[in-house]
């Protein structure tokens, strides 16, 4: 049931963005699962573009979990010093590497990933989506937090976990894997803080568009 007590067929309504963005790779330019995990942790409160710019040198120095696990803060920090909260993130990354030890030990479940330092549900959902394992939740990044209430999917809140929970209640499990990223791409490209409504493939079902057109 949605806000107005009506049962909504969101799968059909959101089909145009599912089709448009299906399977599109995350904007973080990773080459493998190890790189993805490291970049997702670094990207918290920072931009994907910034993380992409520092990653080539970082991964040349630390090509895998084993090399990272054998390192220390003093050696790691120069490679991530342009990243927000780099001191804390250096600690997290070293702890992750020391816990996991090898790339092949990277967990691909919500429970396994969120047990690692610096990985919350949002990050775990991103990693699981990119690794193409069955979804256990829905990506709720800052774009999804902004766009979902705008469309009329959920009430407005800045709490990512709340957004995810509400989306999981109204959207069928078979679209969880793709819908978060689809809404995120829509938010990055079209439904920006100043939205380009005319270009939007789902403006016909959008609450914001209905009120503002």
């Amino acid at each position: 049931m949605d806000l107005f007590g009506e049962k909504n067929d969101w799968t059909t309504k959101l089909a145009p963005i599912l089709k448009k963005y299906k399977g599109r790779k995350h904007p973080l330019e990773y080459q493998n699962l190890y790189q993805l995990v490291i970049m997702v942790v670094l990207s918290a409160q920072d931009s994907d573009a910034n993380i992409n710019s520092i990653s080539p040198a970082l991964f040349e120095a630390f090509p895998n979990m084993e090399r990272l696990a054998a390192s220390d803060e003093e050696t790691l920090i120069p490679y991530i010093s342009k990243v927000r909260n780099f001191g804390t993130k250096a600690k997290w990354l070293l702890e992750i590497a020391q816990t996991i030890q090898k790339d092949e030990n990277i967990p691909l479940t919500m429970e396994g990933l969120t047990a690692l330092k610096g990985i919350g549900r949002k990050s775990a959902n991103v990693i699981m989506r990119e690794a193409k394992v069955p979804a256990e939740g829905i990506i709720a990044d800052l774009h999804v937090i902004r766009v979902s209430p705008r469309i009329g999917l959920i009430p407005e809140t800045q709490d990512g976990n709340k957004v995810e929970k509400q989306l999981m209640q109204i959207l069928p499990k078979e679209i969880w894997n793709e819908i978060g990223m689809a809404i995120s791409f829509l938010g990055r490209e079209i439904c920006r803080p100043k939205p380009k409504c005319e270009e939007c493939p789902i403006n016909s079902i959008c609450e914001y568009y209905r009120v503002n057109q």
Side-chain angles (χ1 to χ4, degrees), residues 70-118:
S71 187
D72 54 39
E73 283 177 53
E74 209 179 325
T75 316
L76 176 59
I77 281 174
Y79 292 94
I80 62 167
S81 59
K82 292 189 177 122
V83 176
R84 231 175 135 181
N85 303 329
F86 63 84
T88 306
K89 288 174 182 175
K91 286 188 177 69
W92 288 348
L93 291 180
L94 291 168
E95 191 170 319
I96 289 171
Q98 283 151 11
T99 304
I100 291 176
Q101 292 291 332
K102 291 189 166 150
D103 295 1
E104 56 265 33
N105 298 339
I106 295 169
L108 285 174
T109 62
M110 180 60 71
E111 191 183 357
L113 284 164
T114 53
L116 298 170
K117 269 281 160 50

Side-chain angles (χ1 to χ4, degrees), residues 29-201:
E29 291 162 5
Y30 65 91
Q31 306 303 320
N32 53 44
L33 187 56
Y34 157 69
Q35 292 190 5
L36 173 66
V37 170
I38 302 306
M39 292 173 83
V40 163
V41 172
L42 289 173
S43 70
Q45 270 98 48
D46 207 319
S47 72
D48 294 337
N50 187 38
I51 306 310
N52 288 339
S53 72
I54 63 119
S55 69
L58 173 67
F59 293 130
E60 201 174 319
F62 307 99
N64 53 38
M65 282 290 176
E66 281 179 272
R67 188 74 66 85
L68 187 57
S71 187
D72 54 39
E73 283 177 53
E74 209 179 325
T75 316
L76 176 59
I77 281 174
Y79 292 94
I80 62 167
S81 59
K82 292 189 177 122
V83 176
R84 231 175 135 181
N85 303 329
F86 63 84
T88 306
K89 288 174 182 175
K91 286 188 177 69
W92 288 348
L93 291 180
L94 291 168
E95 191 170 319
I96 289 171
Q98 283 151 11
T99 304
I100 291 176
Q101 292 291 332
K102 291 189 166 150
D103 295 1
E104 56 265 33
N105 298 339
I106 295 169
L108 285 174
T109 62
M110 180 60 71
E111 191 183 357
L113 284 164
T114 53
L116 298 170
K117 269 281 160 50
I119 298 183
R121 285 191 64 93
K122 182 199 83 175
S123 299
N125 280 320
V126 169
I127 293 164
M128 290 169 73
R129 185 246 182 194
E130 296 298 300
K132 297 181 170 53
V133 297
E136 293 180 45
I138 296 172
I139 294 167
D141 63 13
L142 58 93
H143 305 283
V144 177
I145 290 169
R146 182 182 72 251
V147 173
S148 301
R150 220 185 236 178
I151 297 170
L153 277 164
I154 56 169
E156 197 156 333
T157 171
Q158 291 308 307
D159 180 338
N161 284 342
K162 212 172 185 178
V163 167
E164 184 192 10
K165 204 171 174 184
Q166 290 174 336
L167 289 174
M168 285 165 74
Q169 282 166 350
I170 61 162
L171 299 175
K173 199 162 186 182
E174 58 266 23
I175 66 168
W176 286 6
N177 233 2
E178 287 295 329
I179 193 59
M181 211 58 228
I183 296 172
S184 179
F185 278 126
L186 184 73
R188 290 162 191 265
E189 296 176 4
I190 295 168
C191 196
R192 298 184 56 70
K194 189 167 182 276
K196 301 184 259 188
C197 293
E198 296 309 320
E199 292 175 31
C200 180

